[in-house]
Amino acid sequence: MEILVFGTSLMWGQGLKESDKMHNVLVRKLKARHPEQTINVTSLAHSGASTGYLPDGTIDPKTEPLIDGEVPTHYPTILQEIASFDNLKRPAESIDLILLDAGINDVHIKSIINPLVTPHKISELVEQFCYEHLKMLVRELLRKFPRARIVIVGYYEFVTENSEHSYVRALLQAFGQVPGGFIMDGLLWMTSGLIRRRLLTNCDTFSDGSWSAFCRVADDLNREIASGDNKRVITARQQVGPENAAFASDPWLFGLNEDLSPEDPMAAERAKACRAAGDRAEPVFCRMASTAHPNPRGAQAFADAILIALES
């Protein structure tokens, strides 16, 4: 079995050691069920990748070199990741399974956690990037890899009502969504309820809206290629419960330490990569990029969800 991985920080495995990344966990689980089978996985995903389409639906022509996968950058885009498969000098017909996520960096995490962005605007962005543009992207995968089954991995709520107030506020300030300072701390304390409700609503809107869009893409394309019961496009999603969100009581997602440093094992290595990336990295955003991404337990849960989707 030959597996390819395309996408963003979710499929790259932001903050995780290589052995803990979702696709490698999935390979171990598949080998446990099929010990007689050789299973190979190649990941071309990286943090920050955009889908590869401009807002009007045309292909983004901009190119930049691939850098350390821990550094969030739009380029190479996911379309460019797909094109880079040709450099491997392997037949596209040899690929059996593709794991994919896409759309979150086009909507952008800073929009989702921005208390000034309305849920209606999030829904509009999701429709454009997680449905319309993703559909074009998956259609390209179906064309390029004629034997592959494609699993679109769904997103989740980053923070929930169970997430600690103080850390959520620190997250917003670190990502530049609210100013810091003594006066702003007072204003945030007085308006924290409003900000928190907007943040939770936006996260819920993105999570549920993108999942619905992914399912529509799969349904539309399976009908389009008349695959019948043997569907080539599958969706897989792991529900992150209120207690499993970032800064919650039993997290499946990376959070922050008490000194607001990132808690993932790749933090020091990523900080060096962020400095080396120069103007292609936003210093604070890059350093804290693991925040709200699956930790080892979360990656295990997502691998289970993919396995269930495949077996069903």
Side-chain angles (χ1 to χ4, degrees):
M1 178 182 284
E2 294 289 337
I3 303 174
L4 274 183
V5 182
F6 297 115
T8 76
S9 54
L10 177 62
M11 299 314 303
W12 159 257
Q14 188 87 59
L16 291 167
K17 294 180 180 179
E18 194 64 33
S19 61
D20 290 331
K21 293 187 178 185
M22 190 189 310
H23 54 272
N24 287 323
V25 176
L26 177 65
V27 167
R28 290 197 295 272
K29 291 177 180 292
L30 287 170
K31 285 183 175 179
R33 285 164 171 75
H34 307 282
E36 76 290 347
Q37 192 167 25
T38 300
I39 304 173
N40 300 311
V41 61
T42 303
S43 177
L44 298 173
H46 71 88
S47 178
S50 65
T51 304
Y53 297 99
L54 297 173
D56 64 0
T58 59
I59 294 175
D60 186 352
K62 182 177 178 180
T63 60
E64 290 194 39
L66 179 66
I67 57 177
D68 191 297
E70 279 288 306
V71 178
T73 175
H74 280 351
Y75 302 95
T77 67
I78 299 174
L79 271 178
Q80 291 163 0
E81 291 175 4
I82 295 168
S84 73
F85 170 81
D86 296 340
N87 299 330
L88 302 179
K89 306 299 182 183
R90 290 158 55 187
E93 293 79 8
S94 68
I95 302 303
D96 302 293
L97 179 66
I98 293 172
L99 306 180
L100 170 73
D101 84 290
I104 188 168
N105 294 315
D106 303 81
V107 177
H108 211 291
I109 183 64
K110 287 189 175 182
S111 296
I112 298 169
I113 68 173
N114 188 337
L116 299 180
V117 176
T118 66
H120 177 72
K121 180 61 177 178
I122 298 295
S123 295
E124 289 182 341
L125 294 172
V126 164
E127 180 69 14
Q128 181 178 24
F129 297 118
C130 297
Y131 175 68
E132 295 172 6
H133 291 186
L134 181 69
K135 188 173 179 179
M136 293 188 289
L137 183 69
V138 176
R139 189 180 283 123
E140 171 63 15
L141 285 171
L142 290 168
R143 182 199 65 79
K144 188 177 181 73
F145 301 98
R147 290 186 57 251
R149 180 164 289 158
I150 299 163
V151 179
I152 308 172
V153 181
Y155 297 118
Y156 50 88
E157 290 185 70
F158 318 112
V159 294
T160 66
E161 63 274 10
N162 196 266
S163 302
E164 287 191 36
H165 291 236
S166 58
Y167 282 112
V168 171
R169 185 170 69 180
L171 176 70
L172 291 171
Q173 289 178 333
F175 285 172
Q177 300 311 297
V178 292
F182 178 77
I183 294 176
M184 280 308 304
D185 279 347
L187 291 173
L188 280 172
W189 181 81
M190 290 185 290
T191 60
S192 62
L194 295 174
I195 292 175
R196 187 177 178 80
R197 281 196 295 274
R198 173 56 59 82
L199 175 60
L200 294 176
T201 301
N202 281 0
C203 286
D204 185 60
T205 299
F206 174 75
S207 173
D208 289 346
S210 60
W211 175 245
S212 174
F214 292 169
C215 292
R216 286 160 55 207
V217 167
D219 289 344
D220 289 352
L221 292 178
N222 284 326
R223 282 195 299 269
E224 190 174 292
I225 61 180
S227 60
D229 291 334
N230 187 25
K231 296 178 180 179
R232 285 191 61 198
V233 186
I234 306 166
T235 53
R237 184 193 195 193
Q238 178 58 57
Q239 289 280 11
V240 175
E243 71 282 2
N244 303 130
F247 319 114
S249 56
D250 185 27
W252 289 355
L253 311 176
F254 285 123
L256 298 170
N257 296 312
E258 289 187 5
D259 62 355
L260 303 185
S261 62
E263 64 181 16
D264 67 283
M266 301 301 294
E269 185 175 320
R270 183 174 57 256
K272 292 179 183 178
C274 293
R275 290 192 293 271
D279 59 7
R280 288 187 66 182
E282 298 178 52
V284 174
F285 185 73
C286 187
R287 183 173 64 86
M288 303 178 68
S290 63
T291 308
H293 284 85
N295 60 23
R297 289 180 61 206
Q300 288 271 354
F302 271 85
D304 286 335
I306 294 170
L307 192 59
I308 290 170
L310 289 173
E311 289 179 338
S312 68

